[in-house]
Structures are given as structure tokens and as C-alpha cells.
């Protein structure tokens, strides 16, 4: 088929490069805070103390690396699946600049200590308004493309993109409702138990709609593209989609088990949480059965293993997560380092794995060339895999240890251990975690190098052709 | 530069018209049924279960 237009890939690439830039910053901060936990001397004054930097780490990676990459990959996927260029390419370019300007301001604001003390929603109100504007710009282009699409059928990835856009907007606005008192300070409209309830409704769905639905959109698009194997069942993909987004919004209360939150809300949240296993595994099964037609792809197409390992961690994550929601398990692992173990199997093993694989597919496709080096990509794969497994496993061990110690009672019924005693037992595991983090970050540097070299290769080819 | 289209037709070959895997369907329905039971069993208004009562119970069960 021929057509006259060309897609605006420069904006897409700009987002990928921005995501890489913010990603490296976020990862380096992560390494530093991991070491601060076992050596207090690594806290340097107010600005470089753990308290400041931890917030920076989560926000820079979630919003800079995660959302940055999602903006770029979504523009790409949407253009391809709607078979038309973006309705407003200039707006998308403006979106790219605003994103980076916003990230600079947002990062600085956290660095100087502006913080509304809601986890993953730390930004003060002026930044919140900027984020909402940014999101609307993004939505205009994506929804504009969907409404004017040249392809009638909507592939499941598009549904995931739409769900992401609508849900994040609702979550972000509701949880950040606040009354400003000065330019840099505001007070949330929710208080006490209500605040906690709204916060974790938001918090859990941030996981759902920043770290699950966008990544599934990529998975469903790039797995078939890179293997040449179409998805096993469209029906399963659509049923999983609707049941996933229906159930997700009800589950936030599993973060507040055994708290003053009313019992019935906790129970309802836990029931929906357990149900989430089914729609999540719908996608896992669909992925496995897709590659099941030809497992030799695991060897012959280097990206297949990224996607299959990624979806496997998603599968583990969506069994572990619902288990954590159960009362008896929550009471053991909550308030321990088990939770960062869970978090990073998701963010490193699933989210970053699939984003990297998608970028590996997309960048050469945009230049009509091949990846700079499959060998480097494979090295990257094994390093991040080892780093992530080591990270998660050490945290699970020390988490269970700490949970058990916190609960243990002496013969007379008093607590056996003080909090400090349970804490110092974490030290060796925290040190191992820093090593794991270094391995992961080195792996990511291989990725960055490979992407930059592929872009260079593509540009050289274009010059030769011209 | 010309662009090739993404062929959705390729995404939907005949061998993608698979029904829901039976094992998965059983999991799906089973979790819904269990969820209904769970909500019934652990909602104070239905069975009188509360987390305070559970705490008291666990205090009594402690070896003296
Ligand atoms: C069905 C899917 C999932 C369920 C039901 C689930 C459930 C949970 C639960 C119950 C907790 C709280 C643990 C505690 O503090 O006691 C938690 C924490 C967390 N999960 Fe998951 N999880 C799921 C998948 C994921 C995925 C795919 C990610 C991707 C990165 C993820 C990221 C997180 C994060 C960031 C936290 C930490 C929240 C905090 O700051 O306390 N989860 N999850």
C-alpha cells in the first residue's frame, strides 16, 4: 500500500531520549539512596539526604522514565494503529518541550522540599496544574487520532491507551484536590481516613494505569510485531481488558489492611484484589500461547525473550500482589522491605523490560534499519535480569525476617525484639541490594549506548541516501 | 519518504480466532464466586466479623 504522508517520528524519538535522560538520573539517585540506608555518612546535608532523594527517585523514574517513554511509544503505536499521522503534530512537539520543562521544575520543587506529603502525588499545586495541561495536550492528539482513524477495527492496544488517558486524568485530579494557601503550599480537601482512602485509591491505580495498562498496550503491539506471530486470541485480549479496568478501580483498600479504614471497605477491596488475578493472567496466557506456536523465536528473535520474561514477571507480580492484599499476609509483610521487593519486580522486571524491548523494536523501525548490536542487547538483558532478581529476592528474605521478628513475643507476652533490632538485621541485605542495583544500572547503560548508536546508524544511513 | 501501513489484517489471521481457554475461564468464574463469599463472610453487617473482634480473639489465644 502506498500513501503520501510520513509520520512525525522526531517527536517520538524526542520522548525516548528524554525518558532515557530522566531514567539515568533516577537510577543514579536510586543507587545513592540504597547506600544511604546502610551508611548514614552518605547523607550530604539537607538536599542530599535520604528523605529528599527518595521522593526524587520515585517521581523522576515514574514520571520521567515511565511516562516519558509512554508518551513516545503511545504516539508511535497510535499513529500506526489508526493509520494516520498525529492530528496536531506541532502540538505534540510542544508537548515534548513542555514535558521536559515541567520535569525540570517538578524535580527542582521536590529537591527544595516542596511536598504535599501524598505518596506518588508529592507535587504542589502549581506543578499539578501543569501536569493536567500536559495530559490534556496528549489526550487531544491521541483521541483526535482515534476519532479520525483510517482503520475501523480497534486493536486491543488502542483500548489500553484510551483507558490509560481517561483513568489517569480522573485519578490525578481527584487525589490532588487541594486549597492553595500560598504559591508553594496547599491543603488537601481530604483529611484523616478519607485522605488515606483516596490516596490509596489513587496510589494503587497509578500502578494500574501507569505501570500496567500502558505496558500491556506495548506488549500487545510489539510482541506480535517483533515475532511476526499474531496474538493468540483477540477475544481473550478484549475480555481481559474490560474486566481488568473494571476491577482495578476498587482495589486500593488493600494498601490499608488492618487500619481504621472501615472493615467493609477493606473486605470489598480484598475481594476485587483477588479477582484481579484472572484478567491479569488473561494477558499472560495470551502472551504465552502467542509464542507457543513457535518457541524457537526465543532463540532466533532476540526481543522475544524480553517480552516473555517481562510478561512472566507481570504474571508473578499479579499473583504476589493479590496475595499481599490478603489480611494474614499483609500483617506479615506490610511495614517491611518485602514491599520494595514486590515493587521492583514490577518496575524493573516488567515495566522497564517491556519499555526497553519496545524501544529496541521501534527505533530501528523508524529508520528502516536494524539494531546497532544484538550482542549488546543480550548483555543488557542478562544484566538487568540478574540485577532485578537479586534485588527482589534479598528484599523478600529480609522482609519476611523483619515481619516475623516484629510479631514474635516472649514467654511473658511482651514483644521479643525492639524495632531497632529488626532494622539492623536488614543491613547485609541492603548492602546486597546496592550491588544488585549496580548490576541493573550497568545493564541499563548498555541499553542507552545501544539506542544512541542505533540512532547514529540510522542518521548516517539517511545522509547516505540523501 | 513513503510509509508502509501496519496491516491489522496480519494481526488477525484466522488462527487468532481462539476461544477463551477453559482453565482460564474456570479461574475467572471461580474468583467471582469466591469474591462474593468473601465479601459476605468478612463484612460486619452480614456476619458480625470485625477486625477488633479478631484482635481480641488473638490476644486470648496467646499462650499465657
Ligand atoms: C494484580 C496486580 C497487583 C496487585 C493486586 C498488587 C497489590 C499490591 C499490594 C497489596 C501492595 C501493598 C503491600 C503492602 O504495603 O502491604 C502493593 C504495593 C505496591 N505494588 Fe503491587 N500489586 C499488583 C501489581 C503490581 C505491578 C504490576 C506493579 C508495577 C510496578 C506494582 C507496584 C507496586 C508498588 C509501587 C507498590 C508500593 C506502594 C507503596 O508505596 O506502598 N504492583 N501491591
Amino acid at each position: 500500500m502506498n500513501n503520501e504522508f510520513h509520520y512525525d517520528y522526531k517527536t517520538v524519538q524526542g520522548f525516548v531520549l528524554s525518558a532515557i535522560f530522566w531514567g539515568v538520573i533516577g537510577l543514579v539517585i536510586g543507587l545513592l539512596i540504597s547506600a544511604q540506608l546502610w551508611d548514614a555518612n552518605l547523607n550530604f546535608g539537607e538536599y542530599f539526604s535520604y528523605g529528599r532523594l527518595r521522593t526524587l527517585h520515585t517521581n523522576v523514574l515514574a514520571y520521567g522514565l515511565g511516562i516519558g517513554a509512554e508518551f513516545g511509544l503511545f504516539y508511535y503505536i497510535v499513529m500506526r494503529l489508526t493509520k494516520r499521522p498525529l492530528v496536531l503534530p506541532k502540538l505534540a512537539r510542544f508537548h515534548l518541550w513542555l514535558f521536559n520543562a515541567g520535569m525540570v521544575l517538578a524535580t527542582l520543587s521536590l529537591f527544595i522540599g516542596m511536598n504535599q506529603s501524598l505518596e506518588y502525588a508529592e507535587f504542589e499545586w502549581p506543578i499539578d496544574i501543569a501536569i493536567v495541561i500536559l495530559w490534556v495536550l496528549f489526550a487531544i492528539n491521541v483521541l483526535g487520532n482515534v476519532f479520525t482513524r483510517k482503520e475501523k477495527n480497534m486493536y486491543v492496544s488502542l483500548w489500553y491507551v484510551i483507558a490509560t488517558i481517561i483513568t489517569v486524568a480522573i485519578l490525578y485530579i481527584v487525589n490532588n484536590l487541594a486549597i492553595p494557601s500560598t504559591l508553594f503550599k496547599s491543603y488537601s480537601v481530604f483529611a484523616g481516613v478519607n485522605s488515606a482512602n483516596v490516596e490509596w485509591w489513587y496510589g494503587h491505580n497509578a500502578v494500574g494505569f501507569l505501570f500496567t495498562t500502558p505496558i500491556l498496550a506495548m506488549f500487545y503491539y510489539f510482541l506480535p510485531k517483533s515475532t511476526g506471530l499474531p496474538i493468540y486470541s483477540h477475544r481473550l485480549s478484549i475480555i481481559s481488558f474490560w474486566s481488568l479496568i473494571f476491577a482495578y478501580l476498587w482495589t486500593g483498600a488493600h494498601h490499608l489492611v488492618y487500619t481504621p479504614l472501615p472493615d467493609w471497605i477493606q473486605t470489598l477491596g480484598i475481594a476485587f484484589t483477588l479477582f484481579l488475578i484472572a484478567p491479569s493472567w488473561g494477558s499472560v496466557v495470551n502472551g504465552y500461547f502467542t509464542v507457543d506456536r513457535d518457541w524457537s523465536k526465543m532463540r532466533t528473535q532476540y526481543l522475544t525473550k524480553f517480552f516473555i520474561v517481562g510478561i512472566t514477571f507481570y504474571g508473578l507480580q499479579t499473583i504476589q500482589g493479590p496475595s499481599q492484599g490478603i489480611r494474614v499476609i499483609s500483617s506479615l509483610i506490610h511495614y517491611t522491605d518485602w514491599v520494595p521487593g514486590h515493587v521492583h519486580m514490577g518496575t524493573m522486571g516488567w515495566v522497564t523490560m517491556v519499555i526497553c524491548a519496545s524501544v529496541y523494536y521501534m527505533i530501528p523501525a523508524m529508520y528502516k534499519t536494524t539494531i546497532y548490536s544484538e550482542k549488546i542487547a543480550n548483555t543488557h538483558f542478562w544484566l538487568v535480569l540478574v540485577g532485578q532478581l537479586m534485588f527482589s529476592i534479598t528484599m523478600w528474605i529480609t522482609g519476611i525476617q523483619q515481619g516475623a521478628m516484629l510479631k514474635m513475643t516472649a514467654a511473658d507476652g511482651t514483644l521479643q525484639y525492639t524495632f531497632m533490632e529488626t532494622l539492623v538485621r536488614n543491613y547485609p541485605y541492603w548492602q546486597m541490594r546496592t550491588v544488585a542495583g549496580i548490576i541493573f544500572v550497568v545493564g541499563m547503560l548498555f541499553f542507552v549506548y545501544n539506542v544512541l548508536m542505533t540512532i547514529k546508524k540510522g542518521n548516517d544511513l539517511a545522509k547516505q541516501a540523501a | 519518504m513513503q510509509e508502509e501501513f501496519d496491516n491489522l489484517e496480519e494481526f488477525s489471521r484466522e488462527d487468532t480466532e481462539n476461544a477463551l481457554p477453559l482453565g482460564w475461564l474456570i479461574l475467572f468464574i471461580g474468583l467471582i464466586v469466591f469474591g462474593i463469599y468473601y465479601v459476605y463472610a468478612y463484612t460486619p453487617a452480614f456476619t458480625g466479623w470485625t477486625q477488633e473482634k479478631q484482635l481480641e480473639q488473638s490476644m486470648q489465644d496467646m499462650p499465657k
Side-chain angles (χ1 to χ4, degrees), chain A residues 54 119-120 200 204 207 211-212 248 254-255 273 276-277 280 314 317-318 321-322 324-325 330 333-335 339 342-343 346-347 350-351:
Chain A
R54 193 234 183 231
E119 198 174 9
Y120 311 125
W200 283 109
H204 186 69
V207 167
F211 293 155
T212 300
Y248 236 106
H254 64 216
H255 289 264
T273 298
L276 266 187
I277 298 174
S280 310
Y314 175 63
Q317 195 70 358
T318 54
Q324 289 166 181
S330 174
I333 54 96
H334 193 64
Y335 309 119
V339 179
H342 167 72
V343 170
T347 51
W350 155 241
V351 176

Side-chain angles (χ1 to χ4, degrees), chain A residues 83-282:
Chain A
K83 289 190 177 173
R84 56 155 303 152
L86 292 178
V87 282
L88 298 166
K90 288 220 177 73
L91 188 71
R93 190 61 66 87
F94 177 63
H95 175 212
L96 170 62
W97 289 110
L98 196 65
F99 167 75
N100 282 301
M103 276 302 299
V104 170
L105 284 180
T107 307
L108 284 177
S109 78
L110 293 177
F111 195 61
I112 60 171
M114 283 167 63
N115 186 327
Q116 55 178 4
S117 302
L118 293 171
E119 198 174 9
Y120 311 125
E122 284 93 348
F123 300 131
E124 272 294 352
W125 68 275
I127 309 266
D128 288 340
I129 292 176
I131 289 178
V132 171
I133 294 173
L134 203 71
W135 201 256
V136 170
L137 298 184
F138 176 54
I140 290 174
N141 251 321
V142 170
L143 298 180
N145 261 46
V146 170
F147 286 129
T148 58
R149 64 185 186 275
K150 303 262 161 51
E151 162 66 55
K152 200 165 116 288
N153 284 326
M154 282 176 60
Y155 185 61
V156 63
S157 293
L158 274 186
W159 284 110
Y160 277 112
V161 171
I162 295 170
T164 303
I165 289 185
I166 295 175
T167 317
V168 170
I170 297 171
L171 293 168
Y172 200 85
I173 291 174
V174 173
N175 191 44
N176 282 293
L177 288 176
I179 298 167
S181 60
T182 68
L183 187 57
F184 302 122
K185 185 76 207 135
S186 63
Y187 292 92
S188 171
V189 299
F190 306 107
V193 167
N194 287 331
S195 170
N197 198 21
V198 174
E199 160 63 20
W200 283 109
W201 166 77
Y202 164 86
H204 186 69
N205 292 299
V207 167
F209 292 86
L210 295 182
F211 293 155
T212 300
T213 53
I215 314 304
L216 285 170
M218 295 172 202
F219 178 80
Y220 276 114
Y221 179 81
F222 289 106
L223 175 75
K225 289 304 282 185
S226 52
T227 56
L229 301 169
I231 202 73
Y232 167 75
S233 167
H234 291 287
R235 176 178 307 191
L236 179 58
S237 73
I238 292 292
I239 291 182
S240 301
F241 167 77
W242 286 106
S243 47
L244 184 88
I245 59 164
F246 171 71
Y248 236 106
L249 275 293
W250 299 80
T251 57
H254 64 216
H255 289 264
L256 297 164
V257 174
Y258 288 131
T259 66
L261 192 72
D263 288 347
W264 71 270
I265 299 184
Q266 294 182 34
T267 295
L268 196 65
I270 296 170
F272 275 99
T273 298
L274 289 170
F275 170 72
L276 266 187
I277 298 174
S280 310
W281 271 75

Side-chain angles (χ1 to χ4, degrees), chain A residues 273-294:
Chain A
T273 298
L274 289 170
F275 170 72
L276 266 187
I277 298 174
S280 310
W281 271 75
S283 296
V284 178
V285 168
N286 223 343
Y288 285 155
F289 282 176
T290 298
V291 180
D292 189 45
R293 300 195 190 91
D294 183 4

